[in-house]
Amino acid sequence: MKTYIDNLPKAELHLHIEGTLEPELLFEIANRNHIKIPFESVEAVKAAYQFNCLQDFLDIYYQGAEVLLYERDFYELTYRYLEKCKDQNVKHVEIMFDPQTHTNRGISFQSVITGIRRAMEDAQKHLHVSSFLILSFLRHLSEEAAFETLQQALPFKSWIKAVGLDSSEKGNPPSKFKRVFKAAVQEGWIPLAHAGEEGDATYIWEAIDLLKVQRIDHGNNALQDPNLVAELVKRNVALTVCPLSNKALQVVKSLEEHPLKKMMDVGLKVTVNSDDPAYFGGGINRNFEEIQKALQLGKNELYTIARNSFEYSLLDDKRKQQHLTELETYHLNNMTL
Ligand code: ADE
Ligand code: ZN
């Protein structure tokens, strides 16, 4: 099964670039930029990655991002992740970035986005991994701050495919960002949002009704409300699920209790993703492998998940079809091995 998963052509739709900062690179960049970090070694950093909830993680994640100062840092971070995509047979990745995490420290929006964008272009050329960029607003900050970020992004409008909403969910419902999402849609960006990770089903209702999102990031708590499930199925809104993240942040007690299979059984469209792989113990293939084992998923179910990753990506229909054809050939040749 591991070989089937490792070689399965797939897309990743839920990935925070700041969450790909491996401890080794954290040290390398911190040394180069003369930034002191409160850890002695890579092992000490890894030992600190114990989380009781989303906020525990976010505190460490924002601290880690403080080593990123220059365009070169964002380039390296992104290119290294895209190399990992290549190694894991990820053909296409939709990368979220949190500009406010950087602009609030005095880093220019331009340095951040130019570094990321150059790496995306180089990866397309040299690794044949395609990628889109999702500008994610930090929901613990104000809507006014999100509007400022939107303004800063406008000179780079064509580099951005979609907008997202992340950070501390509880107490920061989608309704807080209704107007800024409307403005983003008017600019031609596609609306997406985290919802139902720690927040209840009402957060997902608001994301689909008020922000008009095409996909929900996480969406675990959708199963609390059968009417919501029916609506997500009817509106064809997919959930980008992140099993190892859910385990690390104690959204689920164990992977055996993860709702992914139940979601599929009730007709929801789900994908499997790594969220913040440097913090949660593994990349996308590890997420597939662990959830497969825990829930006893068969190859047909894994194939469905990989199909969803292309079908619910933001690629155009022609590119989707090319990936789906390659995937189908792969599955037909490997389903009985
Ligand atoms: N930012 C990075 N990872 C996140 C997650 N899992 N939930 C909310 N915000 C995030
Ligand atoms: Zn996320």
Side-chain angles (χ1 to χ4, degrees):
M1 205 56 111
K2 183 173 185 312
T3 311
Y4 177 84
I5 288 171
D6 290 353
N7 294 325
L8 186 66
K10 55 186 83 68
E12 183 161 45
L13 306 184
H14 183 161
L15 183 276
H16 302 264
I17 201 62
E18 293 87 354
T20 70
L21 181 57
E22 295 288 344
E24 292 78 4
L25 186 61
L26 176 84
F27 270 93
E28 204 181 308
I29 297 179
N31 287 337
R32 178 167 93 202
N33 290 346
H34 309 292
I35 292 177
K36 262 200 96 48
I37 46 175
F39 298 105
E40 286 291 307
S41 63
V42 164
E43 290 66 40
V45 175
K46 287 184 180 162
Y49 292 173
Q50 305 285 338
F51 314 112
N52 289 314
C53 61
L54 174 59
Q55 194 59 49
D56 279 1
F57 156 69
L58 291 170
D59 293 343
I60 288 211
Y61 160 87
Y62 294 130
Q63 193 179 54
E66 287 179 14
V67 303
L68 304 166
L69 300 186
Y70 305 111
E71 184 186 322
R72 174 187 170 187
D73 305 332
F74 292 96
Y75 176 91
E76 264 181 37
L77 179 69
T78 307
Y79 199 79
R80 287 206 194 183
Y81 189 67
L82 290 163
E83 287 178 324
K84 290 200 171 127
C85 289
K86 169 100 183 155
D87 292 344
Q88 298 182 92
N89 265 299
V90 173
K91 307 291 182 188
H92 173 75
V93 52
E94 303 194 343
I95 299 175
M96 263 177 277
F97 76 123
D98 292 340
Q100 289 157 294
T101 300
H102 314 297
T103 53
N104 283 353
R105 300 179 289 118
I107 315 294
S108 73
F109 188 97
Q110 175 168 356
S111 298
V112 179
I113 197 166
T114 308
I116 296 172
R117 172 74 184 184
R118 277 202 304 114
M120 291 166 63
E121 287 172 353
D122 284 354
Q124 174 71 66
K125 215 183 310 163
H126 303 301
L127 308 171
H128 309 291
V129 174
S130 66
S131 51
F132 288 153
L133 200 49
I134 302 167
L135 184 166
S136 209
F137 299 115
L138 295 182
R139 70 199 307 160
H140 67 275
L141 301 178
S142 66
E143 189 181 36
E144 191 189 350
F147 265 113
E148 262 171 54
T149 303
L150 183 144
Q151 284 300 325
Q152 292 167 351
L154 288 180
F156 308 96
K157 185 167 161 173
S158 68
W159 290 359
I160 296 166
K161 192 81 177 171
V163 292
L165 188 64
D166 63 2
S167 193
S168 320
E169 185 177 12
K170 280 190 178 164
N172 297 298
S175 47
K176 181 175 162 187
F177 296 92
K178 189 178 158 184
R179 286 169 309 164
V180 76
F181 265 67
K182 190 167 177 210
V185 169
Q186 277 164 357
E187 296 298 338
W189 293 324
I190 293 165
L192 311 170
H194 283 56
E197 181 185 18
E198 286 190 342
D200 62 26
T202 63
Y203 285 70
I204 305 176
W205 275 115
E206 285 196 4
I208 60 171
D209 279 343
L210 303 180
L211 307 187
K212 319 251 183 252
V213 299
Q214 284 194 14
R215 292 195 306 244
I216 294 283
D217 291 318
H218 296 295
N220 294 53
N221 288 333
L223 292 177
Q224 291 172 349
D225 180 349
N227 292 331
L228 173 60
V229 169
E231 202 57 29
L232 291 167
V233 172
K234 189 170 131 205
R235 296 195 205 179
N236 205 20
V237 174
L239 310 180
T240 65
V241 175
C242 305
L244 290 178
S245 163
N246 292 158
K247 189 174 137 197
L249 303 188
Q250 313 213 19
V251 169
V252 294
K253 285 202 193 76
S254 68
L255 288 183
E256 285 71 21
E257 290 173 48
H258 196 283
L260 181 115
K261 193 163 163 17
K262 280 193 207 97
M263 290 168 166
M264 294 177 82
D265 291 344
V266 296
L268 288 165
K269 305 296 182 184
V270 300
T271 65
V272 165
N273 310 270
S274 68
D275 204 6
D276 302 284
Y279 292 90
F280 300 147
I284 186 165
N285 285 355
R286 184 90 188 269
N287 272 274
F288 267 89
E289 281 152 23
E290 299 232 348
I291 200 67
Q292 183 277 322
K293 261 187 262 159
L295 303 181
Q296 292 296 302
L297 302 177
K299 283 185 181 172
N300 283 333
E301 283 159 319
L302 299 172
Y303 172 58
T304 298
I305 295 169
R307 282 194 71 84
N308 289 343
S309 77
F310 292 116
E311 280 173 3
Y312 293 89
S313 74
L314 306 176
L315 287 164
D316 63 35
D317 286 345
K318 185 164 163 242
R319 296 290 297 148
K320 278 185 192 176
Q321 206 44 58
Q322 286 166 347
H323 287 299
L324 288 168
T325 304
E326 182 199 6
L327 172 63
E328 185 182 18
T329 305
Y330 173 82
H331 180 63
L332 292 175
N333 288 333
N334 293 279
M335 59 193 282
T336 55
L337 293 182

